[in-house]
Amino acid sequence: NTKILCTALASRLVMGRRLATAQWLALMLLTAGVVLGQWRGREGADLTPSLGAVLMLINSCLSALGGVCTERLLKAKQSSQLSIFATNLHLAAHTILWNGGCLFAEAVSAGERLPTLSAPGLVDAIAVVNEALNGILISLLMRRIDAIAKNYAFSVSVFVTAGLAALVLNHRPPWNFFAGALVTLVS
């Protein structure tokens, strides 16, 4: 939930984007709507340990910074000359190299054999294709909109998906889900 506001701050720091007071209020309303929609009442009343809360805040800030940096890369002159597939391949190559290097270093430092790769099962393959298509769609959107608008789209999609699941699966969300969706819509 803090990622929404962290993204606005990262947009200011990295891209120099200034938001009007009304936009900041809208972002606070969006954050409140998401919090309200996810609130679990007394069942989730256990307090999060301080270290866990700090780590989640750091995670939100790093994720927001990554989103804004990705937006900056996608909107750069060099990227605009590449197809969206070439840009995604370029971005994914860094991820694959970094993660592969970490796996290799971890296996070597633990004195273990290197992990072997195997063909994914049907469900895994569907998940990978879904994530790849999602990445391409997000990249297309990020060339035209900013990371803040992407957070709005994602927040709205969560409520739409949950609403459709409620209709299809006959699940009745609690009142706060509808209140959160309304606050998100108002934002």
PDB file of all heavy atoms in Angstrom, residues 103-133:
ATOM      1  N   LEU A 103      22.627 -17.469  -8.273  1.00  0.00           N
ATOM      2  CA  LEU A 103      22.455 -18.917  -8.070  1.00  0.00           C
ATOM      3  C   LEU A 103      23.798 -19.641  -8.124  1.00  0.00           C
ATOM      4  O   LEU A 103      24.076 -20.523  -7.307  1.00  0.00           O
ATOM      5  CB  LEU A 103      21.505 -19.502  -9.122  1.00  0.00           C
ATOM      6  CG  LEU A 103      20.025 -19.252  -8.923  1.00  0.00           C
ATOM      7  CD1 LEU A 103      19.237 -19.744 -10.135  1.00  0.00           C
ATOM      8  CD2 LEU A 103      19.531 -19.936  -7.661  1.00  0.00           C
ATOM      9  N   PHE A 104      24.626 -19.261  -9.078  1.00  0.00           N
ATOM     10  CA  PHE A 104      25.946 -19.865  -9.212  1.00  0.00           C
ATOM     11  C   PHE A 104      26.794 -19.589  -7.971  1.00  0.00           C
ATOM     12  O   PHE A 104      27.397 -20.503  -7.393  1.00  0.00           O
ATOM     13  CB  PHE A 104      26.647 -19.327 -10.472  1.00  0.00           C
ATOM     14  CG  PHE A 104      28.015 -19.886 -10.687  1.00  0.00           C
ATOM     15  CD1 PHE A 104      28.184 -21.165 -11.215  1.00  0.00           C
ATOM     16  CD2 PHE A 104      29.137 -19.144 -10.351  1.00  0.00           C
ATOM     17  CE1 PHE A 104      29.443 -21.693 -11.401  1.00  0.00           C
ATOM     18  CE2 PHE A 104      30.406 -19.660 -10.541  1.00  0.00           C
ATOM     19  CZ  PHE A 104      30.567 -20.934 -11.063  1.00  0.00           C
ATOM     20  N   ALA A 105      26.830 -18.336  -7.535  1.00  0.00           N
ATOM     21  CA  ALA A 105      27.616 -17.964  -6.358  1.00  0.00           C
ATOM     22  C   ALA A 105      27.119 -18.672  -5.112  1.00  0.00           C
ATOM     23  O   ALA A 105      27.909 -19.137  -4.281  1.00  0.00           O
ATOM     24  CB  ALA A 105      27.584 -16.445  -6.167  1.00  0.00           C
ATOM     25  N   GLU A 106      25.815 -18.787  -4.969  1.00  0.00           N
ATOM     26  CA  GLU A 106      25.237 -19.467  -3.809  1.00  0.00           C
ATOM     27  C   GLU A 106      25.609 -20.940  -3.796  1.00  0.00           C
ATOM     28  O   GLU A 106      25.987 -21.488  -2.754  1.00  0.00           O
ATOM     29  CB  GLU A 106      23.713 -19.311  -3.809  1.00  0.00           C
ATOM     30  CG  GLU A 106      23.034 -19.914  -2.602  1.00  0.00           C
ATOM     31  CD  GLU A 106      21.527 -19.748  -2.639  1.00  0.00           C
ATOM     32  OE1 GLU A 106      21.027 -18.846  -3.342  1.00  0.00           O
ATOM     33  OE2 GLU A 106      20.846 -20.542  -1.971  1.00  0.00           O
ATOM     34  N   ALA A 107      25.517 -21.597  -4.956  1.00  0.00           N
ATOM     35  CA  ALA A 107      25.861 -23.025  -5.032  1.00  0.00           C
ATOM     36  C   ALA A 107      27.347 -23.246  -4.765  1.00  0.00           C
ATOM     37  O   ALA A 107      27.720 -24.168  -4.030  1.00  0.00           O
ATOM     38  CB  ALA A 107      25.476 -23.578  -6.399  1.00  0.00           C
ATOM     39  N   VAL A 108      28.192 -22.410  -5.316  1.00  0.00           N
ATOM     40  CA  VAL A 108      29.640 -22.560  -5.128  1.00  0.00           C
ATOM     41  C   VAL A 108      30.021 -22.301  -3.672  1.00  0.00           C
ATOM     42  O   VAL A 108      30.802 -23.054  -3.083  1.00  0.00           O
ATOM     43  CB  VAL A 108      30.413 -21.606  -6.084  1.00  0.00           C
ATOM     44  CG1 VAL A 108      31.881 -21.520  -5.710  1.00  0.00           C
ATOM     45  CG2 VAL A 108      30.245 -22.068  -7.515  1.00  0.00           C
ATOM     46  N   SER A 109      29.458 -21.254  -3.070  1.00  0.00           N
ATOM     47  CA  SER A 109      29.809 -20.933  -1.686  1.00  0.00           C
ATOM     48  C   SER A 109      29.318 -21.995  -0.711  1.00  0.00           C
ATOM     49  O   SER A 109      29.928 -22.204   0.325  1.00  0.00           O
ATOM     50  CB  SER A 109      29.261 -19.564  -1.294  1.00  0.00           C
ATOM     51  OG  SER A 109      27.853 -19.593  -1.218  1.00  0.00           O
ATOM     52  N   ALA A 110      28.224 -22.690  -1.036  1.00  0.00           N
ATOM     53  CA  ALA A 110      27.699 -23.748  -0.170  1.00  0.00           C
ATOM     54  C   ALA A 110      28.322 -25.104  -0.497  1.00  0.00           C
ATOM     55  O   ALA A 110      28.049 -26.089   0.182  1.00  0.00           O
ATOM     56  CB  ALA A 110      26.182 -23.830  -0.296  1.00  0.00           C
ATOM     57  N   GLY A 111      29.148 -25.146  -1.539  1.00  0.00           N
ATOM     58  CA  GLY A 111      29.778 -26.405  -1.927  1.00  0.00           C
ATOM     59  C   GLY A 111      28.802 -27.400  -2.532  1.00  0.00           C
ATOM     60  O   GLY A 111      29.025 -28.607  -2.478  1.00  0.00           O
ATOM     61  N   GLU A 112      27.714 -26.906  -3.105  1.00  0.00           N
ATOM     62  CA  GLU A 112      26.696 -27.775  -3.700  1.00  0.00           C
ATOM     63  C   GLU A 112      26.864 -27.838  -5.214  1.00  0.00           C
ATOM     64  O   GLU A 112      27.576 -27.050  -5.810  1.00  0.00           O
ATOM     65  CB  GLU A 112      25.297 -27.235  -3.373  1.00  0.00           C
ATOM     66  CG  GLU A 112      24.994 -27.172  -1.906  1.00  0.00           C
ATOM     67  CD  GLU A 112      23.658 -26.476  -1.633  1.00  0.00           C
ATOM     68  OE1 GLU A 112      23.019 -26.000  -2.601  1.00  0.00           O
ATOM     69  OE2 GLU A 112      23.279 -26.407  -0.471  1.00  0.00           O
ATOM     70  N   ARG A 113      26.165 -28.813  -5.794  1.00  0.00           N
ATOM     71  CA  ARG A 113      26.125 -28.886  -7.260  1.00  0.00           C
ATOM     72  C   ARG A 113      25.267 -27.747  -7.784  1.00  0.00           C
ATOM     73  O   ARG A 113      24.374 -27.256  -7.113  1.00  0.00           O
ATOM     74  CB  ARG A 113      25.465 -30.201  -7.707  1.00  0.00           C
ATOM     75  CG  ARG A 113      26.323 -31.396  -7.610  1.00  0.00           C
ATOM     76  CD  ARG A 113      25.637 -32.643  -8.135  1.00  0.00           C
ATOM     77  NE  ARG A 113      24.218 -32.429  -8.430  1.00  0.00           N
ATOM     78  CZ  ARG A 113      23.525 -33.138  -9.283  1.00  0.00           C
ATOM     79  NH1 ARG A 113      24.082 -34.126  -9.928  1.00  0.00           N
ATOM     80  NH2 ARG A 113      22.260 -32.910  -9.495  1.00  0.00           N
ATOM     81  N   LEU A 114      25.562 -27.366  -9.003  1.00  0.00           N
ATOM     82  CA  LEU A 114      24.747 -26.325  -9.633  1.00  0.00           C
ATOM     83  C   LEU A 114      23.354 -26.873  -9.908  1.00  0.00           C
ATOM     84  O   LEU A 114      23.194 -28.046 -10.252  1.00  0.00           O
ATOM     85  CB  LEU A 114      25.398 -25.874 -10.940  1.00  0.00           C
ATOM     86  CG  LEU A 114      26.726 -25.144 -10.799  1.00  0.00           C
ATOM     87  CD1 LEU A 114      27.302 -24.840 -12.173  1.00  0.00           C
ATOM     88  CD2 LEU A 114      26.552 -23.857 -10.015  1.00  0.00           C
ATOM     89  N   PRO A 115      22.330 -26.048  -9.738  1.00  0.00           N
ATOM     90  CA  PRO A 115      20.967 -26.518 -10.007  1.00  0.00           C
ATOM     91  C   PRO A 115      20.804 -26.861 -11.487  1.00  0.00           C
ATOM     92  O   PRO A 115      21.396 -26.220 -12.351  1.00  0.00           O
ATOM     93  CB  PRO A 115      20.079 -25.354  -9.604  1.00  0.00           C
ATOM     94  CG  PRO A 115      20.958 -24.187  -9.381  1.00  0.00           C
ATOM     95  CD  PRO A 115      22.366 -24.670  -9.295  1.00  0.00           C
ATOM     96  N   THR A 116      20.003 -27.876 -11.743  1.00  0.00           N
ATOM     97  CA  THR A 116      19.745 -28.267 -13.126  1.00  0.00           C
ATOM     98  C   THR A 116      18.402 -27.687 -13.572  1.00  0.00           C
ATOM     99  O   THR A 116      17.496 -27.512 -12.773  1.00  0.00           O
ATOM    100  CB  THR A 116      19.707 -29.799 -13.278  1.00  0.00           C
ATOM    101  OG1 THR A 116      18.705 -30.316 -12.394  1.00  0.00           O
ATOM    102  CG2 THR A 116      21.049 -30.414 -12.921  1.00  0.00           C
ATOM    103  N   LEU A 117      18.340 -27.381 -14.837  1.00  0.00           N
ATOM    104  CA  LEU A 117      17.104 -26.864 -15.404  1.00  0.00           C
ATOM    105  C   LEU A 117      16.330 -28.000 -16.036  1.00  0.00           C
ATOM    106  O   LEU A 117      16.906 -28.904 -16.633  1.00  0.00           O
ATOM    107  CB  LEU A 117      17.409 -25.799 -16.461  1.00  0.00           C
ATOM    108  CG  LEU A 117      18.097 -24.533 -15.949  1.00  0.00           C
ATOM    109  CD1 LEU A 117      18.421 -23.622 -17.127  1.00  0.00           C
ATOM    110  CD2 LEU A 117      17.224 -23.815 -14.950  1.00  0.00           C
ATOM    111  N   SER A 118      15.034 -27.945 -15.909  1.00  0.00           N
ATOM    112  CA  SER A 118      14.179 -28.936 -16.556  1.00  0.00           C
ATOM    113  C   SER A 118      13.026 -28.200 -17.224  1.00  0.00           C
ATOM    114  O   SER A 118      12.731 -27.054 -16.909  1.00  0.00           O
ATOM    115  CB  SER A 118      13.655 -29.945 -15.527  1.00  0.00           C
ATOM    116  OG  SER A 118      12.901 -29.288 -14.529  1.00  0.00           O
ATOM    117  N   ALA A 119      12.389 -28.895 -18.139  1.00  0.00           N
ATOM    118  CA  ALA A 119      11.255 -28.293 -18.849  1.00  0.00           C
ATOM    119  C   ALA A 119      10.117 -28.060 -17.853  1.00  0.00           C
ATOM    120  O   ALA A 119       9.847 -28.901 -17.002  1.00  0.00           O
ATOM    121  CB  ALA A 119      10.804 -29.205 -19.974  1.00  0.00           C
ATOM    122  N   PRO A 120       9.460 -26.914 -17.948  1.00  0.00           N
ATOM    123  CA  PRO A 120       8.348 -26.649 -17.029  1.00  0.00           C
ATOM    124  C   PRO A 120       7.138 -27.514 -17.358  1.00  0.00           C
ATOM    125  O   PRO A 120       6.948 -27.931 -18.506  1.00  0.00           O
ATOM    126  CB  PRO A 120       8.047 -25.168 -17.252  1.00  0.00           C
ATOM    127  CG  PRO A 120       8.524 -24.889 -18.643  1.00  0.00           C
ATOM    128  CD  PRO A 120       9.688 -25.810 -18.872  1.00  0.00           C
ATOM    129  N   GLY A 121       6.330 -27.764 -16.338  1.00  0.00           N
ATOM    130  CA  GLY A 121       5.063 -28.449 -16.541  1.00  0.00           C
ATOM    131  C   GLY A 121       4.070 -27.492 -17.192  1.00  0.00           C
ATOM    132  O   GLY A 121       4.366 -26.311 -17.403  1.00  0.00           O
ATOM    133  N   LEU A 122       2.895 -27.992 -17.506  1.00  0.00           N
ATOM    134  CA  LEU A 122       1.881 -27.189 -18.188  1.00  0.00           C
ATOM    135  C   LEU A 122       1.496 -25.950 -17.376  1.00  0.00           C
ATOM    136  O   LEU A 122       1.449 -24.838 -17.908  1.00  0.00           O
ATOM    137  CB  LEU A 122       0.639 -28.031 -18.489  1.00  0.00           C
ATOM    138  CG  LEU A 122      -0.507 -27.287 -19.184  1.00  0.00           C
ATOM    139  CD1 LEU A 122      -0.044 -26.780 -20.549  1.00  0.00           C
ATOM    140  CD2 LEU A 122      -1.725 -28.163 -19.301  1.00  0.00           C
ATOM    141  N   VAL A 123       1.233 -26.132 -16.090  1.00  0.00           N
ATOM    142  CA  VAL A 123       0.826 -25.002 -15.249  1.00  0.00           C
ATOM    143  C   VAL A 123       1.954 -23.978 -15.165  1.00  0.00           C
ATOM    144  O   VAL A 123       1.724 -22.771 -15.266  1.00  0.00           O
ATOM    145  CB  VAL A 123       0.418 -25.486 -13.841  1.00  0.00           C
ATOM    146  CG1 VAL A 123       0.156 -24.323 -12.905  1.00  0.00           C
ATOM    147  CG2 VAL A 123      -0.814 -26.379 -13.931  1.00  0.00           C
ATOM    148  N   ASP A 124       3.192 -24.451 -15.002  1.00  0.00           N
ATOM    149  CA  ASP A 124       4.343 -23.540 -14.941  1.00  0.00           C
ATOM    150  C   ASP A 124       4.506 -22.789 -16.260  1.00  0.00           C
ATOM    151  O   ASP A 124       4.791 -21.586 -16.272  1.00  0.00           O
ATOM    152  CB  ASP A 124       5.627 -24.307 -14.622  1.00  0.00           C
ATOM    153  CG  ASP A 124       5.588 -24.931 -13.234  1.00  0.00           C
ATOM    154  OD1 ASP A 124       4.932 -24.364 -12.346  1.00  0.00           O
ATOM    155  OD2 ASP A 124       6.219 -25.982 -13.052  1.00  0.00           O
ATOM    156  N   ALA A 125       4.337 -23.490 -17.367  1.00  0.00           N
ATOM    157  CA  ALA A 125       4.479 -22.861 -18.680  1.00  0.00           C
ATOM    158  C   ALA A 125       3.401 -21.790 -18.880  1.00  0.00           C
ATOM    159  O   ALA A 125       3.687 -20.699 -19.385  1.00  0.00           O
ATOM    160  CB  ALA A 125       4.399 -23.906 -19.787  1.00  0.00           C
ATOM    161  N   ILE A 126       2.186 -22.077 -18.455  1.00  0.00           N
ATOM    162  CA  ILE A 126       1.094 -21.093 -18.561  1.00  0.00           C
ATOM    163  C   ILE A 126       1.416 -19.870 -17.708  1.00  0.00           C
ATOM    164  O   ILE A 126       1.222 -18.727 -18.143  1.00  0.00           O
ATOM    165  CB  ILE A 126      -0.260 -21.727 -18.171  1.00  0.00           C
ATOM    166  CG1 ILE A 126      -0.678 -22.740 -19.232  1.00  0.00           C
ATOM    167  CG2 ILE A 126      -1.328 -20.656 -17.970  1.00  0.00           C
ATOM    168  CD1 ILE A 126      -1.887 -23.580 -18.841  1.00  0.00           C
ATOM    169  N   ALA A 127       1.935 -20.098 -16.508  1.00  0.00           N
ATOM    170  CA  ALA A 127       2.297 -18.981 -15.624  1.00  0.00           C
ATOM    171  C   ALA A 127       3.402 -18.133 -16.242  1.00  0.00           C
ATOM    172  O   ALA A 127       3.356 -16.903 -16.198  1.00  0.00           O
ATOM    173  CB  ALA A 127       2.722 -19.501 -14.258  1.00  0.00           C
ATOM    174  N   VAL A 128       4.406 -18.776 -16.850  1.00  0.00           N
ATOM    175  CA  VAL A 128       5.505 -18.036 -17.476  1.00  0.00           C
ATOM    176  C   VAL A 128       4.991 -17.217 -18.657  1.00  0.00           C
ATOM    177  O   VAL A 128       5.344 -16.045 -18.818  1.00  0.00           O
ATOM    178  CB  VAL A 128       6.642 -19.001 -17.905  1.00  0.00           C
ATOM    179  CG1 VAL A 128       7.631 -18.315 -18.817  1.00  0.00           C
ATOM    180  CG2 VAL A 128       7.345 -19.565 -16.682  1.00  0.00           C
ATOM    181  N   VAL A 129       4.150 -17.820 -19.496  1.00  0.00           N
ATOM    182  CA  VAL A 129       3.591 -17.097 -20.649  1.00  0.00           C
ATOM    183  C   VAL A 129       2.729 -15.928 -20.166  1.00  0.00           C
ATOM    184  O   VAL A 129       2.807 -14.820 -20.705  1.00  0.00           O
ATOM    185  CB  VAL A 129       2.787 -18.056 -21.563  1.00  0.00           C
ATOM    186  CG1 VAL A 129       1.958 -17.288 -22.575  1.00  0.00           C
ATOM    187  CG2 VAL A 129       3.726 -19.035 -22.249  1.00  0.00           C
ATOM    188  N   ASN A 130       1.924 -16.158 -19.122  1.00  0.00           N
ATOM    189  CA  ASN A 130       1.095 -15.091 -18.554  1.00  0.00           C
ATOM    190  C   ASN A 130       1.963 -13.934 -18.064  1.00  0.00           C
ATOM    191  O   ASN A 130       1.669 -12.765 -18.344  1.00  0.00           O
ATOM    192  CB  ASN A 130       0.241 -15.645 -17.415  1.00  0.00           C
ATOM    193  CG  ASN A 130      -0.651 -14.579 -16.808  1.00  0.00           C
ATOM    194  OD1 ASN A 130      -1.360 -13.880 -17.518  1.00  0.00           O
ATOM    195  ND2 ASN A 130      -0.588 -14.452 -15.498  1.00  0.00           N
ATOM    196  N   GLU A 131       3.037 -14.244 -17.347  1.00  0.00           N
ATOM    197  CA  GLU A 131       3.921 -13.200 -16.842  1.00  0.00           C
ATOM    198  C   GLU A 131       4.624 -12.466 -17.990  1.00  0.00           C
ATOM    199  O   GLU A 131       4.819 -11.258 -17.938  1.00  0.00           O
ATOM    200  CB  GLU A 131       4.949 -13.775 -15.865  1.00  0.00           C
ATOM    201  CG  GLU A 131       4.359 -14.136 -14.515  1.00  0.00           C
ATOM    202  CD  GLU A 131       3.732 -12.961 -13.802  1.00  0.00           C
ATOM    203  OE1 GLU A 131       4.355 -11.871 -13.763  1.00  0.00           O
ATOM    204  OE2 GLU A 131       2.619 -13.109 -13.280  1.00  0.00           O
ATOM    205  N   ALA A 132       5.023 -13.206 -19.020  1.00  0.00           N
ATOM    206  CA  ALA A 132       5.680 -12.578 -20.175  1.00  0.00           C
ATOM    207  C   ALA A 132       4.721 -11.622 -20.876  1.00  0.00           C
ATOM    208  O   ALA A 132       5.090 -10.486 -21.214  1.00  0.00           O
ATOM    209  CB  ALA A 132       6.184 -13.642 -21.140  1.00  0.00           C
ATOM    210  N   LEU A 133       3.496 -12.057 -21.096  1.00  0.00           N
ATOM    211  CA  LEU A 133       2.503 -11.186 -21.736  1.00  0.00           C
ATOM    212  C   LEU A 133       2.179  -9.982 -20.860  1.00  0.00           C
ATOM    213  O   LEU A 133       2.016  -8.860 -21.361  1.00  0.00           O
ATOM    214  CB  LEU A 133       1.231 -11.980 -22.061  1.00  0.00           C
ATOM    215  CG  LEU A 133       1.394 -13.050 -23.143  1.00  0.00           C
ATOM    216  CD1 LEU A 133       0.102 -13.852 -23.286  1.00  0.00           C
ATOM    217  CD2 LEU A 133       1.806 -12.426 -24.466  1.00  0.00           C
TER     218      LEU A 133
END
